[in-house]
Amino acid sequence: MKLYRYLTGPDDAAFCKRVTAALNKGWDLAGQPTLTFDPVKGRVICGQPIVKEVPGVDYTDDVVLSDH
């Protein structure tokens, strides 16, 4: 099964740590990061798509992406 996630959050060290943690759990970057500006909170928001291949498992709607 191939899993897809799109991580988002403020452009800060915590976001970078979330992406780093996912990479160290076997996820791969899937394209370029995105940036947008939240004018209400006055901050930049990042997004990073990631994918992971999990052999021997079939996808169901019950799959919890963060468990993999």
Side-chain angles (χ1 to χ4, degrees), residues 11-51:
D11 183 17
D12 59 12
F15 178 78
C16 293
K17 288 179 180 181
R18 287 179 55 214
V19 174
T20 299
L23 293 174
N24 282 282
K25 290 181 180 178
W27 292 83
D28 294 310
L29 300 179
Q32 299 295 316
T34 59
L35 297 174
T36 191
F37 184 72
D38 179 348
V40 174
K41 294 187 177 181
R43 63 184 182 185
V44 175
I45 302 297
C46 295
Q48 176 63 61
I50 57 176
V51 293

